[in-house]
Amino acid sequence: MEEIIRRAERVAETKSTVLITGETGTGKELVARLLHAPGPRRDGPFVPINCGAIPTELMESEFFGHQRGSFTGAVSDKEGLVQGAEGGTLFLDAIAEMTPATQVKLLRVLQERRFRRLGGRQEQAVDVRVLAATNTDPREAVRSGM
């Protein structure tokens, strides 16, 4: 545990996107908070999201928000969780549970720091650090076609 804390202290000051792996209940969110708290984004929000708890059909709207009228029931514009983490840290727990379509859109956030609301026409810039966690071995998931 001491080695994890030392590594977290070194990485906390960077802008790097970090993938935290480990079995369920091993403290992945605690490590994410250790990366956020002392870092340059400490005054910004820490927005934790359990990707496995969001229904597939709501994932895009929850992450990126939506424009009024973009689907039945969208009676007003809604800010997404990505935008809600502006200036801070977005923690994506259980990222392996995210749909491939949402993963592609998240890649745009990681590479370009831009996103588009569901039903929106213009991209918006976002300043956010992304930390992700999974209890799945990413290499094994790729090999098995997950």
Side-chain angles (χ1 to χ4, degrees):
M1 186 63 166
E2 290 177 14
E3 176 62 22
I4 292 171
I5 292 171
R6 279 196 297 278
R7 284 185 186 190
E9 289 171 346
R10 286 195 308 263
V11 175
E13 294 299 322
T14 72
K15 296 178 179 181
S16 299
T17 299
V18 178
L19 177 64
I20 304 162
T21 60
E23 295 178 21
T24 301
T26 56
K28 295 181 291 295
E29 184 169 343
L30 177 62
V31 171
R33 289 182 184 276
L34 285 172
L35 292 171
H36 172 76
R41 296 179 176 275
R42 67 182 155 268
D43 295 330
F46 179 86
V47 179
I49 304 168
N50 181 338
C51 297
I54 301 173
T56 303
E57 60 276 3
L58 298 178
M59 201 165 272
E60 186 175 354
S61 175
E62 288 297 312
F63 274 87
F64 305 109
H66 61 257
Q67 296 294 120
R68 183 175 144 262
S70 59
F71 56 86
T72 303
V75 295
S76 63
D77 291 353
K78 179 186 177 223
E79 178 181 279
L81 295 166
V82 170
Q83 191 174 6
E86 175 69 28
T89 301
L90 181 68
F91 174 56
L92 304 173
D93 197 7
I95 195 163
E97 303 299 318
M98 186 182 290
T99 66
T102 307
Q103 289 179 18
V104 169
K105 291 180 181 188
L106 182 62
L107 182 60
R108 181 101 175 125
V109 172
L110 294 173
Q111 290 179 328
E112 306 297 329
R113 302 295 184 215
R114 303 186 71 74
F115 71 97
R116 183 176 299 159
R117 286 183 178 177
L118 184 61
R121 294 186 180 180
Q122 295 190 0
E123 286 191 331
Q124 297 180 11
V126 66
D127 176 23
V128 63
R129 182 181 192 185
V130 177
L131 306 176
T134 183
N135 61 2
T136 304
D137 179 344
R139 290 181 188 96
E140 183 56 36
V142 169
R143 274 193 290 270
S144 70
M146 275 180 73

